[in-house]
Amino acid sequence: MQSELRLRILSGIVLAAVVLAATWYGGFAFRMLAATISVLVYYEWSTITRLADSDFRGNAFGWATVAGIAGLVIFGFDELALPVLLSATVLSIVYALAVTKNGWLAGGIAYSGLTSISLAAIRGDTGEGFAAMIFIFAVVWATDILAYFVGRAIGGPKLAPPISPGKTWSGAIGGAVSAVIAGTLVHAAFFPLNGLWIPVIALVLSVCSQIGDLFESFIKRRFGVKDSSRLIPGHGGVMDRVDGLVFACFAAFLIALGDAIVSGAANAPAGVFLFGP
């Protein structure tokens, strides 16, 4: 147990160092990180759902799509990545309805492709993008850590027992409150606090992070899998570590995209929107 704990701590430190260094440098380094995460997420998704066994051709299409989107993200063709993702997702839905009657391919393409797109869009190449990513990290990490400790300390009614028997409402609320505090403090370190926008968006992203955690738990329970993979020593798989983060990034990106479409500022960086006017 002690050796496994040491391994878990060491790999956690290495992972955190790599992620924070890429976030600091931004540009190509962060785009590579976002693309790598998305490809590994699709690998784990297709492994968990056994796509290679149940639908070889569909899985090959999924791999080609996710790899193509990752390449577009790496080289900065963001304006093409989202249309490619939308087109591939629609095609895979039609394919499922007409042929396989199985929606796991479409889900994997959407989940994996949006991972790289949303991460890259939020970080961008601006100082606001760097601050926005640190803000999201703080919100997600505070949610995870305090939800665990508050849930253990207080206990009480279960949040979603059929999906994740260990999670409680007290932990969910404690995680959300701590996320609001952490997000507000991180924002205050970069910019002056202006109204309630930051606490509200921190709360929304915390809730989305917890939904992401439950979503991955649902998939693993559905297929009888404990960890998404063994890629990370002592931690399981990539999806096990980024499930909450990517859902928070999905929410931030889609909210920013919706605002950009409504306001007509289609090229406005997502990170700039996240911190409000």
Side-chain angles (χ1 to χ4, degrees):
M1 289 295 294
Q2 288 183 344
S3 61
E4 185 170 343
L5 179 60
R6 285 196 296 267
L7 179 63
R8 184 180 179 86
I9 293 172
L10 179 60
S11 60
I13 292 172
V14 172
L15 282 173
V18 170
V19 169
L20 291 175
T23 304
W24 170 263
Y25 283 107
F28 184 78
F30 190 83
R31 290 175 177 275
M32 275 294 299
L33 174 67
T36 300
I37 291 173
S38 72
V39 170
L40 293 177
V41 163
Y42 185 78
Y43 160 73
E44 292 180 347
W45 179 290
S46 61
T47 301
I48 293 170
T49 61
R50 305 181 184 97
L51 277 174
D53 298 327
S54 62
D55 185 10
F56 179 82
R57 289 178 299 178
N59 191 43
F61 174 74
W63 269 112
T65 299
V66 173
I69 292 172
L72 292 172
V73 167
I74 289 172
F75 294 105
F77 295 105
D78 297 6
E79 69 280 1
L80 296 177
L82 189 57
V84 169
L85 174 61
L86 292 173
S87 300
T89 302
V90 170
L91 284 174
S92 60
I93 291 173
V94 172
Y95 173 70
L97 292 173
V99 180
T100 65
K101 314 301 181 185
N102 183 336
W104 292 108
L105 173 63
I109 290 173
Y111 188 94
S112 306
L114 194 56
T115 293
S116 57
I117 292 172
S118 60
L119 282 167
I122 293 169
R123 175 58 183 90
D125 295 312
T126 65
E128 290 88 349
F130 170 74
M133 281 308 311
I134 298 300
F135 170 79
I136 294 178
F137 289 154
V139 166
V140 173
W141 292 344
T143 298
D144 287 347
I145 295 169
L146 268 296
Y148 174 79
F149 284 109
V150 172
R152 288 285 296 259
I154 298 177
K158 301 299 183 180
L159 179 63
I163 299 174
S164 185
K167 290 182 172 58
T168 62
W169 278 103
S170 63
I173 294 170
V177 171
S178 66
V180 170
I181 296 171
T184 302
L185 291 175
V186 167
H187 177 271
F190 290 98
F191 308 104
L193 191 62
N194 183 19
L196 294 176
W197 169 252
I198 292 303
V200 169
I201 196 66
L203 177 61
V204 170
L205 298 186
S206 176
V207 171
C208 291
S209 170
Q210 297 188 56
I211 292 173
D213 193 350
L214 289 172
F215 177 67
E216 198 219 356
S217 295
F218 162 74
I219 296 172
K220 291 193 295 185
R221 184 167 289 269
R222 166 68 175 74
F223 288 94
V225 174
K226 182 178 182 295
D227 297 319
S228 58
S229 75
R230 295 184 179 179
L231 289 175
I232 305 174
H235 287 268
V238 175
M239 285 178 64
D240 296 325
R241 299 280 64 82
V242 303
D243 49 6
L245 174 65
V246 297
F247 256 64
C249 289
F250 293 169
F253 171 68
L254 293 175
I255 293 170
L257 180 63
D259 177 77
I261 293 172
V262 171
S263 65
N267 294 322
V272 173
F273 164 82
L274 192 62
F275 278 160

